[in-house]
Amino acid sequence: MLVVAEKEIGGLMTPEAAYDAIEAVFASMASDQAYNFPVVREAIGHEEALYGFKGGFDGSALTLGLKAGGYWPQNQKHGLINHQSTVFLFDADTGRVEAAVGGNLLTALRTAAASAVSIRHLAPKGAKVLGMIGAGHQSAFQMRAAVRAHPFEKVIGWNPHPEMLTRLADTAADLGLPFEAVDLPQLGAEADVIISITSAFSPLLLDEHVKGPTHIAAMGTDTKGKQELDPALVARARLFTDEIAQSISIGEFQHAIAAGLIEPSSITQLGAVINGSHQGRGEAELTIFDGTGVGLQDLAVARAVVTLAQEKGLAQKVEI
Ligand code: NAD
């Protein structure tokens, strides 16, 4: 099998390759050529760790496998980041293990690529201002991918912990864009596209904050109980997601569903817009993409990075 080490991923994987891989796999999901397996997530009762598997099969690319890993909150004492994951790919014809790929950086890149795909397909015409809610590890990846997907002219941002806003300011400066820290009413009124990427457990962005044609990529909610958006805001939007079953159970849309404000039938897979079988934004004033993060995204970027590693001679061959 081939091994692509975590330390090689940064030099191999480009945001463009991540974008293409995610757009293609979303399209395969919407045309029923690819599906995700049920997610396993366990509190293992050791080191307060949450460990699990996200897997799937893409029949169009013949990509089969899983991402194994999770969250170890005490990892600082080992000099490691708290999120740890590895992607394993298997030969779809034989079941033989094909590759093991470091999954930490890939997770950030595939998550940022998902919101970027939504922005390219759903942003209101002439969108100029990107609003960022959240300033943690993922936020810089999100901003970089969004700015590659669409020609924004300005970034505005808000974070529940204002001392973290320097990450947004520095990233915008690096991208050559002006940055302004604002409050949420200003962010909702001025941003044409909003990315929310926090670990919030109650709504941050309220219905009355958001004015005018807007696209929101809601990326932070990936667990039961997490929440970034007011359900009333969700209820008045045209709704898109990576996978409907996941969005209504662990994604942002779980709350509007639980409140009886929306039905699963009013949610569209983003892949249907990519495939051209759904018109996308159309005449809608507000669109929301609920990016919950599916295993097929991890497999798609891992597949892309294995190809790049083979081309550059950076995939180590190991007999097992
Ligand atoms: P991080 O720990 O680096 O940053 C956390 C962010 O959330 C910061 O902006 C912080 O100010 C804010 N925050 C922390 N506690 C909060 C609270 N109680 N209420 C409101 N905000 C709070 O995390 P990160 O790696 O940037 O990840 C951010 C979120 O994105 C997490 O919820 C993570 O699980 C999620 N995530 C989603 C996907 C996906 O595919 N959808 C992928 C990776 C991460």
Side-chain angles (χ1 to χ4, degrees):
M1 78 167 180
L2 298 172
V3 175
V4 184
E6 181 70 46
K7 66 178 165 54
E8 305 291 0
I9 306 289
L12 284 169
M13 194 64 180
T14 62
E16 290 78 11
Y19 182 99
D20 291 346
I22 296 305
E23 192 175 54
V25 79
F26 280 172
S28 295
M29 283 165 60
S31 55
D32 291 330
Q33 291 172 292
Y35 73 106
N36 293 288
F37 304 155
V39 175
V40 173
R41 201 167 157 86
E42 292 286 323
I44 59 172
H46 178 71
E47 294 286 344
E48 298 172 56
L50 277 177
Y51 176 67
F53 312 108
K54 277 186 170 186
F57 177 52
D58 181 349
S60 60
L62 290 185
T63 302
L64 173 69
L66 57 89
K67 178 167 84 169
Y71 186 69
W72 270 257
Q74 317 296 341
N75 264 2
Q76 214 177 349
K77 67 186 179 197
H78 303 293
L80 296 170
I81 61 168
N82 293 346
H83 286 276
Q84 292 293 330
S85 62
T86 310
V87 182
F88 295 91
L89 298 176
F90 294 83
D91 184 331
D93 295 327
T94 64
R96 293 255 309 158
V97 64
E98 205 181 316
V101 184
N104 296 347
L105 178 57
L106 282 184
T107 299
L109 291 172
R110 65 81 149 142
T111 306
S115 61
V117 170
S118 86
I119 290 167
R120 189 166 289 165
H121 288 278
L122 296 172
K125 225 177 155 83
K128 290 186 172 59
V129 179
L130 173 64
M132 296 291 311
I133 300 176
H137 179 69
Q138 305 293 329
S139 65
F141 292 93
Q142 291 284 326
M143 193 197 299
R144 287 181 190 284
V147 167
R148 262 188 205 92
H150 185 91
F152 291 106
E153 294 176 4
K154 182 181 179 182
V155 182
I156 58 180
W158 179 86
N159 193 57
H161 307 101
E163 69 281 4
M164 294 170 76
L165 282 168
T166 49
R167 178 180 265 126
L168 297 183
D170 293 349
T171 309
D174 198 38
L175 292 165
L177 290 174
F179 174 78
E180 187 186 349
V182 296
D183 60 16
L184 280 171
Q186 190 179 344
L187 189 141
E190 288 183 8
D192 306 303
V193 170
I194 298 170
I195 298 175
S196 61
I197 183 83
T198 70
S199 334
F201 279 83
S202 53
L204 302 172
L205 192 64
L206 304 183
D207 189 18
E208 58 266 32
H209 291 154
V210 179
K211 311 240 188 299
T214 311
H215 172 61
I216 302 172
M219 305 304 296
T221 299
D222 56 359
T223 308
K224 210 168 172 49
K226 281 190 188 169
Q227 183 174 16
E228 299 185 294
L229 306 182
D230 184 350
L233 182 64
V234 172
R236 74 169 166 96
R238 187 170 285 186
L239 305 176
F240 301 87
T241 190
D242 41 25
E243 189 188 84
I244 294 167
Q246 206 159 277
S247 82
I248 63 175
S249 54
I250 60 168
E252 188 61 43
F253 296 159
Q254 63 181 291
H255 304 287
I257 287 278
L261 294 173
I262 62 167
E263 296 286 332
S265 58
S266 59
I267 309 169
T268 303
Q269 278 188 286
L270 183 58
V273 183
I274 298 164
N275 286 339
S277 57
H278 186 282
Q279 64 167 336
R281 163 166 288 274
E283 297 306 309
E285 168 117 323
L286 176 64
T287 52
I288 301 178
F289 169 67
D290 181 6
T292 66
V294 294
L296 281 169
Q297 285 174 254
D298 298 300
L299 306 189
V301 289
R303 161 72 69 210
V305 92
V306 167
T307 305
L308 291 166
Q310 283 177 292
E311 284 167 10
K312 297 200 170 164
L314 289 171
Q316 304 161 50
K317 216 168 183 168
V318 179
E319 280 304 321
I320 62 154

